[in-house]
Amino acid sequence: MHFHDDSLFPENQEKLVIQAAPYGPEWLPGDAEDLPLTMDEHVQAAVDCHNAGATVLHIHVRELDGKGSKRMSMFNELLGRLREAVPDMVLQIGGSISFAPEDEGSEAKWLSYDTRHLLADLTPAPDQVTIAINTSQMNIVEIMTDDDLEGTSIGKPEYYQAYRDMVVEAGPEFYLEHLKRLRANGIQPHFQLATLAQLETVERLIRSGVHTGPLILNYVAIGGGFAGRHPADLIEFVRRTPDGAVLTVESSMRAVAPMNAIGIALGVHVRVGNEDNLWRRKGERMTTVEQVEQMVQISEALGRDIASGAEARKIYRLGEHYADADETLARLGMVPNRRPGQRGFMLREV
């Protein structure tokens, strides 16, 4: 992204889109006071986040026994109720479906490719499904402290080891087919990226005509195979992101607020919620709604406006699709592909 002299002026920045992730699939009931259990509680969590200022809802579903649901019927039921309860929120399904271990000592893992592909067939369709690019380690506890995990189920050695050894399976066999299915059903892919290598893979998908639509992505700074918390890495990722993309910062635990404060100041967007963080400061719990409210306060203190639901949908360019690689590159502000015989650095065509 290119920064002009006036790019940090809040009146020149897009209004802030706040993603809320209130369903915490890695946690068990009792780990956080605001984890929903019943379907009514799932819906109320969305309403509360919306009322606090969130316009994008990152969705997982929990069964009554507290475990993450893998039943598509549960997702369909929740989506149907959310369309009525929060009609202007962007509904974003978490592409892992659930990565929580079933029991103590069992493996924490993303579901199979075939199961994740079923998200493209949900009814009603979500606005977005998150999609990982390239298989990588996802050791979410590597960057967490003992204080972060105090009093939670992940503080138990068996669960800690399960999350320490978790891997995101997302090779070309998966993402090529998944992108095709999402496009066929009018669902926008929301890329979950952690490294420049993953961003470059997505650029190749765009340049080859595999992805022909808006580029909506999260910078995932959760450590353990994903990005860490070094501000310079965040700044470089922002710099390398195409001008026409929509970028959101996602971090973990007590780094969420400072990382998001940087993102708000830079003019990109933020994600909060009990899926990412349980704490305001050391030893002081914080709900998802309180985290949304904190982002509103920080943004307003800097003079940056908060997007409404309708404005968030416009910023995300929901429903847009492009004819081919050339149009996609132009819409994203990227230089065109090199034509045979062309030499030198490429320029945008005029």
Side-chain angles (χ1 to χ4, degrees):
M1 291 175 165
H2 182 84
F3 285 80
H4 294 86
D5 289 339
D6 62 0
S7 292
L8 298 186
F9 297 165
E11 67 269 19
N12 292 334
Q13 296 174 336
E14 283 184 325
K15 292 184 180 182
L16 180 68
V17 176
I18 301 174
Q19 290 180 25
Y23 300 116
E26 74 273 37
W27 307 113
L28 293 176
D31 288 342
E33 67 180 53
D34 62 333
L35 283 180
L37 191 62
T38 67
M39 188 60 68
D40 285 346
E41 290 171 346
H42 282 71
V43 175
Q44 189 62 49
V47 171
D48 292 343
C49 289
H50 176 262
N51 290 342
T55 46
V56 179
L57 184 69
H58 182 76
I59 299 168
H60 293 273
V61 186
R62 181 171 277 103
E63 298 279 357
L64 290 176
D65 64 0
K67 305 287 179 56
S69 180
K70 301 170 176 61
R71 292 190 290 154
M72 295 300 124
S73 60
M74 292 283 287
F75 283 84
N76 288 335
E77 180 182 354
L78 181 57
L79 284 167
R81 292 190 60 176
L82 291 173
R83 286 295 185 203
E84 295 183 1
V86 285
D88 63 341
M89 286 192 89
V90 176
L91 302 184
Q92 176 193 100
I93 296 290
S96 65
I97 302 179
S98 174
F99 51 73
E102 291 296 312
D103 301 290
E104 291 189 29
S106 63
E107 184 180 8
K109 62 181 180 180
W110 287 40
L111 298 191
S112 69
Y113 290 175
D114 286 343
T115 303
R116 280 184 269 163
H117 287 326
L118 295 176
L119 295 177
D121 299 317
L122 291 172
T123 305
D127 297 301
Q128 299 178 321
V129 170
T130 63
I131 180 169
I133 298 293
N134 296 335
T135 297
S136 66
Q137 189 73 42
M138 190 180 175
N139 172 8
I140 64 172
V141 297
E142 178 187 79
I143 206 167
M144 295 180 185
T145 68
D146 292 341
D147 295 315
D148 291 331
L149 299 175
E150 183 179 357
T152 73
S153 59
I154 301 181
K156 298 178 180 180
E158 297 86 354
Y159 282 107
Y160 184 94
Q161 182 174 341
Y163 285 108
R164 182 199 66 187
D165 296 335
M166 185 164 61
V167 172
V168 175
E169 294 284 350
E173 179 185 353
F174 166 70
Y175 62 70
L176 292 173
E177 177 65 22
H178 205 56
L179 286 170
K180 182 171 66 176
R181 294 190 186 204
L182 293 177
R183 172 65 184 267
N185 288 283
I187 300 171
Q188 186 181 73
H190 192 119
F191 294 95
Q192 299 286 100
L193 307 181
T195 67
L196 292 178
Q198 293 170 350
L199 181 62
E200 289 174 347
T201 293
V202 174
E203 179 175 348
R204 295 181 190 111
L205 294 174
I206 292 168
R207 292 194 174 279
S208 63
V210 172
H211 176 64
T212 52
L215 178 55
I216 316 297
L217 58 117
N218 277 19
Y219 174 74
V220 186
I222 59 175
F226 282 56
R229 296 169 176 163
H230 200 299
D233 293 338
L234 169 59
I235 296 293
E236 179 61 11
F237 196 94
V238 172
R239 191 182 73 83
R240 291 282 298 274
T241 297
D243 293 337
V246 179
L247 175 61
T248 295
V249 178
E250 175 183 340
S251 187
S252 71
M253 291 302 188
R254 286 173 287 154
V256 167
M259 290 284 284
N260 282 350
I262 297 170
I264 291 171
L266 292 176
V268 299
H269 307 284
V270 298
R271 167 171 144 157
V272 295
N274 58 34
E275 183 170 339
D276 305 332
N277 175 43
L278 302 178
W279 307 97
R280 181 184 301 274
R281 56 176 63 90
K282 186 175 179 179
E284 182 180 337
R285 292 293 187 121
M286 192 178 194
T287 67
T288 298
V289 168
E290 290 171 337
Q291 293 178 53
V292 174
E293 292 171 342
Q294 183 186 57
M295 293 302 107
V296 171
Q297 292 166 0
I298 292 173
S299 193
E300 290 180 342
L302 292 176
R304 187 173 171 193
D305 297 327
I306 307 299
S308 67
E311 289 166 336
R313 301 178 79 84
K314 184 176 180 180
I315 289 169
Y316 271 39
R317 302 180 181 90
L318 288 173
E320 284 192 19
H321 299 287
Y322 309 137
D324 51 26
D326 290 340
E327 183 182 0
T328 306
L329 292 167
R331 293 289 191 118
L332 296 178
M334 301 169 68
V335 297
N337 286 324
R338 187 182 303 278
R339 294 191 177 88
Q342 277 189 300
R343 295 189 178 189
F345 292 105
M346 303 299 295
L347 296 173
R348 294 172 186 154
E349 296 178 343
V350 295

